[in-house]
Amino acid sequence: MDRAKLPRPNTFAGLSLILDRIAERRDESAWVTEQANSTQARYLLLDAAGEAFMRRDREGLRWLDTHERAQWLADVPTTLLGIADQRPHFLLVLDDAHRIDELENALDARRMNLRSAGLRLAADEAGLFAYAKGLSHWQRETRHCARCGAPLQLVAAGHRAQCTNPDCARLHFPRTDAAVIMLVEHDGACLLGRQASWPPGRYSTLAGFVEPGESLEDAVRREVAEEAGVIVDEVHYHSSQPWPMPASLMVGFIATAVSRRIDMRDHELEDARWFTPQQIVDGIAEGSFVPSTALSVSYRLLAYWLQQRAGLDLDQLAAAIPSG
């Protein structure tokens, strides 16, 4: 596979290029233990809030080696993430705030949340952090059986949870909530909206969760109609992005509207309007328009649209926005 010819993945995506999740061996407890005790093993440490240990001397994750794990965290269960660069990678989650503070000093580390670290880390480490955070959130939130209420026990190297009630023994699997996010266009303009809580001038593509019994395309049409009153016709897939904040998968689309009539039906948005490429350029220059953070697939959708429709580079435009 020539990675140079592949499109640049969204932030947190593309992990399959470097990591083999090796799901077929998660039930082999002896093999998993052997990998965890290997001198080649690496451990990603998260605290109870899902923040990762980062290096102090540069932008990178502060991985623990086998010796450090044995010295400080031998009592903490491991979760197998997979094999990367022929080395087994594991997740450790420590809930003890006092021990976390001690380790932060002992390991010369600092803690950072995923949103802050996403664009600071290399793509592979950002993807591994997102994977670990999503999995640890599910483990933390899924403690009792949804069928009988009995406690659950993690199995399959941390990727499944089994009910401890022998009369039930139901298996629970990690959950991901599908959400659609879409750039809607009509005759040379795109539809963007903003919420009242956002910084002044920030506009983003519309988004929403998929409901039961709904296709992704139908979810796009419903969400746009609910939030902006705009009727959508054609819907085309663009790309997707894991978004474990806490447990979503963002599925991105480019959609075409029938008209530009706006009627904000559900009042989730403070404002929704149509923007031409020139209006976006002018708005960025004068400070009245701020795109979504480059962390998000919303940014990538807008970047794609500006490039395809007007030959504009959003990265270059956004670079002129003051950091404050």
Side-chain angles (χ1 to χ4, degrees):
M1 179 186 300
D2 186 353
R3 297 183 186 178
K5 295 182 179 180
L6 295 174
R8 178 166 66 94
N10 295 321
T11 308
F12 309 137
L15 194 55
S16 62
L17 297 175
I18 61 103
L19 180 77
D20 182 355
R21 298 191 181 215
I22 204 156
E24 71 277 8
R25 305 203 69 173
R26 289 172 183 164
D27 286 312
E28 300 178 26
S29 56
W31 179 84
V32 172
T33 299
E34 179 184 355
Q35 298 304 307
N37 293 328
S38 165
T39 57
Q40 294 299 308
R42 304 176 82 198
Y43 304 88
L44 174 58
L45 178 60
L46 302 185
D47 64 15
E51 295 191 344
F53 273 44
M54 302 272 290
R55 297 174 61 101
R56 286 192 185 275
D57 58 344
R58 61 181 176 83
E59 302 292 5
L61 293 173
R62 174 52 168 97
W63 293 93
L64 278 72
D65 59 29
T66 308
H67 173 73
E68 291 169 329
R69 180 236 171 174
Q71 181 179 359
W72 287 303
L73 299 164
D75 60 323
V76 177
T78 61
T79 293
L80 175 65
L81 297 176
I83 306 293
D85 294 326
Q86 300 182 327
R87 302 183 66 178
H89 287 61
F90 288 85
L91 163 66
L92 298 168
V93 180
L94 183 59
D95 292 338
D96 188 322
H98 178 68
R99 291 178 65 188
I100 281 285
D101 290 339
E102 288 185 339
L103 275 175
E104 193 172 43
N105 292 324
L107 297 173
D108 192 27
R110 55 193 168 121
R111 279 173 283 165
M112 189 173 293
N113 63 41
L114 180 61
R115 192 182 293 271
S116 299
L119 291 176
R120 302 184 184 195
L121 294 172
D124 56 344
E125 289 200 331
L128 283 163
F129 184 2
Y131 171 23
K133 185 180 185 301
L135 192 55
S136 66
H137 172 80
W138 169 77
Q139 292 174 345
R140 185 171 56 254
E141 296 294 315
T142 312
R143 297 291 180 90
H144 293 86
C145 179
R147 174 182 289 171
C148 73
L152 297 175
Q153 179 181 8
L154 290 177
V155 295
H159 290 262
R160 292 197 299 273
Q162 185 161 29
C163 178
T164 56
N165 177 1
D167 294 326
C168 177
R170 183 176 185 177
L171 283 173
H172 297 258
F173 296 84
R175 172 177 172 172
T176 298
D177 298 322
V180 291
I181 183 165
M182 44 279 174
L183 185 140
V184 181
E185 62 178 349
H186 181 273
D187 195 22
C190 68
L191 176 67
L192 303 173
R194 63 169 278 105
Q195 296 182 10
S197 61
W198 291 355
R202 172 156 290 171
Y203 280 83
S204 174
T205 54
L206 307 189
F209 285 102
V210 180
E211 295 190 350
E214 188 172 52
S215 71
L216 296 172
E217 293 83 356
D218 286 341
V220 169
R221 297 185 179 98
R222 174 184 55 77
E223 282 289 344
V224 176
E226 288 177 355
E227 293 191 358
V230 172
I231 306 304
V232 165
D233 184 6
E234 294 184 6
V235 178
H236 298 284
Y237 173 77
H238 177 270
S239 61
S240 64
Q241 178 187 38
W243 193 255
M245 296 184 242
S248 299
L249 173 67
M250 306 301 295
V251 187
F253 294 90
I254 303 292
T256 304
V258 173
S259 73
R260 293 196 191 182
R261 181 179 180 274
I262 292 177
D263 177 17
M264 293 185 288
R265 288 167 34 188
D266 62 9
H267 305 292
E268 286 192 11
L269 298 176
E270 177 188 60
D271 186 30
R273 65 179 69 173
W274 294 93
F275 292 87
T276 65
Q278 189 60 51
Q279 287 173 323
I280 291 174
V281 171
D282 293 342
I284 290 176
E286 66 187 22
S288 62
F289 181 93
V290 180
S292 301
T293 168
L295 191 73
S296 68
V297 70
S298 173
Y299 181 95
R300 295 295 303 279
L301 289 170
L302 182 59
Y304 170 83
W305 184 78
L306 287 172
Q307 179 63 48
Q308 293 296 310
R309 302 296 181 262
L312 295 171
D313 188 322
L314 182 57
D315 290 343
Q316 292 182 0
L317 295 173
I321 299 175
S323 59

